[in-house]
C-alpha cells in the first residue's frame, strides 16, 4: 500500500496554524512533527470536512486502505472537538519512546525498556490525568499518517481513532523520526 504519493490540496488553515505557531512546544518540533499536530487539529476542528476533503480522496487513490474498519468512520467524524495543545512534557515522552524503538531497546510496543508500561512511563513524566498513546510505522507524510490512524485498518476496537476523537484529551506530544525504511510516529495524549 502507498507506493505512490497522496495527491490532494494541502493549503494551510491559518485559524489552526496561527495559534500553534505561538506555542513554544510546537515550535520545538521538527517540520514533520508540526505537520502531524496541524493535521490532528484539522480533524478536531471539523471532522466532517476532514472526512470529505481528505479521507474520501485518500480512499479513492488508495482503495486498498478501505476495509470493514472504514465503514464506521464516517459516523464518528461529525462533532467538532477542542483542538490539541502541544505540550513539551508529552513531546518528551513521545520522543523518548520513539528513540527507544529506533535504537532497538524495545520492539514496536507501548511498553518501555524493562517492560515498563505506558501508564508507568507517563506517570514517571508527571502526567496524572488521563493519557493515551498512538504509534504508527509508515512514510514521512503527516496527513497520510493521520488518515491511517483514523481508518485504523485491522486494529481491534479502533483504538487510534478513539484517542484522536476523544473529547477529554486536549494535549498532545509527537515524535516522528526515521526508522528502518520508514518513519516511526508516536503520539502521546493527556487531559490537562
Amino acid at each position: 500500500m502507498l507506493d505512490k504519493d497522496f495527491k490532494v490540496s494541502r493549503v494551510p488553515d491559518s485559524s489552526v496554524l496561527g495559534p500553534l505557531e505561538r506555542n513554544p512546544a510546537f515550535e520545538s518540533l521538527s517540520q514533520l512533527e508540526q505537520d502531524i499536530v496541524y493535521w490532528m487539529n484539522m480533524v478536531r476542528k471539523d471532522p466532517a470536512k476532514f472526512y470529505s476533503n481528505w479521507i474520501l480522496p485518500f480512499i479513492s487513490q488508495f482503495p486498498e486502505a478501505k476495509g470493514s474498519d472504514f465503514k464506521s468512520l464516517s459516523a464518528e467524524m461529525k462533532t467538532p472537538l477542542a483542538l490539541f495543545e502541544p505540550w513539551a512534557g508529552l513531546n518528551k515522552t513521545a520522543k523518548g519512546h520513539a528513540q527507544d524503538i529506533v535504537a532497538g531497546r524495545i520492539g514496536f510496543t507501548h511498553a518501555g525498556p524493562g517492560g515498563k508500561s505506558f501508564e508507568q512511563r507517563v506517570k514517571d513524566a508527571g502526567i496524572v490525568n488521563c493519557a493515551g498513546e498512538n504509534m504508527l510505522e509508515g512514510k514521512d507524510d503527516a496527513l497520510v499518517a493521520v488518515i491511517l490512524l483514523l481508518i485504523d485498518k485491522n486494529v481491534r476496537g479502533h483504538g487510534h481513532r478513539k484517542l484522536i476523537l476523544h473529547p477529554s484529551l486536549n494535549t498532545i506530544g509527537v515524535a516522528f523520526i526515521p526508522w528502518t525504511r520508514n518513519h516511526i510516529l508516536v503520539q502521546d495524549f493527556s487531559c490537562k
Side-chain angles (χ1 to χ4, degrees):
M1 187 166 76
L2 303 178
D3 54 351
K4 59 187 178 192
D5 290 334
F6 176 38
K7 299 192 184 314
V8 69
S9 174
R10 299 179 189 223
V11 176
D13 179 335
S14 61
S15 72
V16 171
L17 193 55
L20 288 173
E21 291 177 329
R22 292 187 291 277
N23 181 309
F26 181 79
E27 290 178 353
S28 71
L29 297 171
S30 72
Q31 183 61 57
L32 191 54
E33 293 163 340
Q34 288 179 1
D35 291 346
I36 288 286
V37 175
Y38 169 79
W39 286 112
M40 294 288 286
N41 278 336
M42 289 296 290
V43 170
R44 289 176 67 96
K45 177 184 178 188
D46 191 339
K49 180 179 177 181
F50 189 90
Y51 183 84
S52 64
N53 287 5
W54 293 288
I55 293 177
L56 290 179
F58 181 81
I59 290 299
S60 175
Q61 291 177 44
F62 302 96
E64 64 273 20
K66 187 176 182 179
S68 59
D69 304 300
F70 180 75
K71 294 176 185 173
S72 62
L73 182 57
S74 66
E76 296 181 50
M77 300 285 291
K78 302 285 186 208
T79 307
L81 299 161
L83 302 186
F84 286 120
E85 178 184 343
W87 182 31
L90 287 174
N91 284 342
K92 183 177 179 182
T93 63
K95 183 76 74 181
H97 194 63
Q99 289 171 336
D100 283 338
I101 293 169
V102 168
R105 289 187 283 272
I106 57 173
F108 190 74
T109 175
H110 293 286
K116 189 179 280 192
S117 70
F118 168 73
E119 292 79 11
Q120 188 59 50
R121 288 191 298 111
V122 295
K123 184 178 178 185
D124 290 350
I127 300 162
V128 294
N129 293 326
C130 59
E133 183 171 72
N134 282 342
M135 295 175 13
L136 178 79
E137 179 187 0
K139 292 175 66 173
D140 61 345
D141 185 321
L143 175 56
V144 169
V146 171
I147 291 170
L148 290 174
L149 288 168
L150 285 164
I151 292 173
D152 244 0
K153 186 174 182 178
N154 300 323
V155 175
R156 188 179 311 163
H158 306 129
H160 300 128
R161 180 189 309 171
K162 286 180 179 176
L163 286 175
I164 294 169
L165 300 174
H166 194 294
S168 296
L169 296 173
N170 56 18
T171 57
I172 188 170
V174 175
F176 203 8
I177 59 177
W179 186 42
T180 61
R181 294 168 300 195
N182 286 311
H183 278 64
I184 175 90
L185 169 63
V186 176
Q187 300 172 320
D188 285 344
F189 306 93
S190 74
C191 307
K192 203 167 187 184

